[in-house]
Amino acid sequence: MSNPVLPGFTADPHLVVYGDTYWLYPTTDGFDDWSGTRFRAYSSTDLTRWTDHGVILDLATDITWADAYAWAPAAVERDGRYYLYFCAERAIGVAVADSPAGPFRDALGAPLIAADAYPDQMIDPMVFVDDDGRPYLYWGQGASYQVPLHDDMVSFDPARVRVHTPEGYNEASFVIKRDGVYYLMWSENDTRSADYRVAYATSGHPLGPWGARRDVVLAKDEAQGILGTGHHSVVRAPGSDDDWFIAYHRFAIPGGDGTHRETAVDRLHFTGDGAIARVTPTR
Ligand code: FUB
């Protein structure tokens, strides 16, 4: 693999596996104040050669309740339908399609989570589906909000929302399960900081209670000129027992910053005792 894996400026990459194919859904980056308006999708069977499927959701034409600040999409499949959770004007929406390449249409015609629904920013959604098929929604900057999603994938019971604020938490909650252990990862510091990084905690349940912050998963490597590493996603390789990959963004090389970011993919390993080993970011 050669990083970055996508052309141009992209960020907040959500890497998922549908069948034997990897799909990447990033923020389109490179705009002042993160003011992009469109999402694209990319697919690959080898994490190296990527097909650009073009614009899959355009706030201008597909969403009535927001025009800009299209951030941090999260993708999940359920019963043959493909759901795309996304931020727009610091609220969270959900769109649905019959194909991972869209076209996606607004599932609700309104935000799933309004910008003022809870304290802090209603951004950075992520859906984890457990082995028993139950889906859980995570989101939030400033705090990690966590709730079971209803089976329709577009609603939840507000009375069941939990708020978790790990030491160092800023944004971009992401959950995986391995050997019965749930791993909650998140990004620390500001995406404009070279020290933007990923850390994690574990639990025996998808909604916690979560243990104390265990360690950093991914951080800058100044010797390689790799800075601002965060807002990640993690997948197990299709057909593998224990091969994992992490997609994340970092300042574009050369000359990038917090609004000119690039998407990279690297390997993620676990140690014998189930800890996440520190990722080696690569060029
Ligand atoms: O890309 C816009 C915002 O920057 C995301 O929502 C945050 O996670 C940060 O990466």
Side-chain angles (χ1 to χ4, degrees):
M1 280 187 303
S2 172
N3 281 318
V5 295
L6 299 181
F9 298 119
T10 60
D12 314 319
H14 193 103
L15 180 63
V16 290
V17 172
Y18 294 142
D20 61 359
T21 303
Y22 296 94
W23 287 81
L24 260 175
Y25 299 87
T27 297
T28 309
D29 215 21
F31 303 99
D32 288 349
D33 201 25
W34 306 279
S35 55
T37 59
R38 293 170 165 178
F39 296 106
R40 307 178 80 89
Y42 304 82
S43 68
S44 173
T45 53
D46 59 10
L47 291 173
T48 301
R49 292 164 294 181
W50 290 90
T51 299
D52 182 350
H53 295 274
V55 174
I56 55 158
L57 188 74
D58 184 339
L59 298 187
T61 53
D62 303 329
I63 301 298
T64 56
W65 48 269
D67 294 323
Y69 307 106
W71 301 347
V76 66
E77 183 268 344
R78 175 88 172 191
D79 298 331
R81 310 198 80 197
Y82 297 85
Y83 294 87
L84 191 76
Y85 302 82
F86 60 94
C87 315
E89 298 184 7
R90 295 173 176 82
I92 291 174
V94 55
V96 63
D98 295 324
S99 153
F104 285 86
R105 61 172 178 77
D106 193 355
L108 297 172
L112 170 62
I113 304 170
D116 61 355
Y118 302 94
D120 299 306
Q121 290 194 73
M122 301 297 99
I123 62 172
D124 296 355
M126 184 264 164
V127 171
F128 165 75
V129 180
D130 208 345
D131 299 333
D132 60 8
R134 292 186 189 166
Y136 298 86
L137 175 65
Y138 305 81
W139 77 95
Q141 183 273 335
S144 177
Y145 294 91
Q146 313 182 350
V147 70
L149 258 184
H150 291 155
D151 282 343
D152 65 7
M153 302 298 275
V154 299
S155 65
F156 60 84
D157 178 357
R160 299 189 66 186
V161 172
R162 297 187 184 185
V163 187
H164 180 58
T165 313
E167 175 197 347
Y169 182 92
N170 183 25
E171 59 196 9
S173 294
F174 196 92
V175 171
I176 61 167
K177 185 182 187 182
R178 177 182 180 269
D179 291 346
V181 176
Y182 298 85
Y183 294 78
L184 170 67
M185 295 170 262
W186 61 85
S187 294
E188 300 185 340
N189 301 315
D190 189 285
T191 192
R192 291 164 289 193
S193 164
D195 292 316
Y196 197 55
R197 65 187 178 199
V198 177
Y200 81 105
T202 52
S203 175
H205 188 274
L207 297 178
W210 299 98
R213 177 186 186 276
R214 288 182 62 166
D215 207 347
V216 169
V217 172
L218 169 70
K220 67 183 177 184
D221 180 346
E222 289 179 295
Q224 293 196 80
I226 295 174
L227 305 173
T229 49
H231 199 127
H232 74 302
S233 49
V234 172
V235 296
R236 193 196 314 247
S240 85
D241 282 343
D242 210 23
D243 286 345
W244 297 82
F245 291 97
I246 181 169
Y248 59 97
H249 73 235
R250 57 202 197 187
F251 293 177
I253 302 172
D257 55 27
T259 53
H260 297 81
R261 300 167 289 180
E262 66 182 21
T263 291
V265 178
D266 279 303
R267 287 191 178 274
L268 181 133
H269 299 283
F270 293 85
T271 63
D273 62 356
I276 302 179
R278 183 77 69 99
V279 171
T280 302
T282 66
R283 296 283 295 267

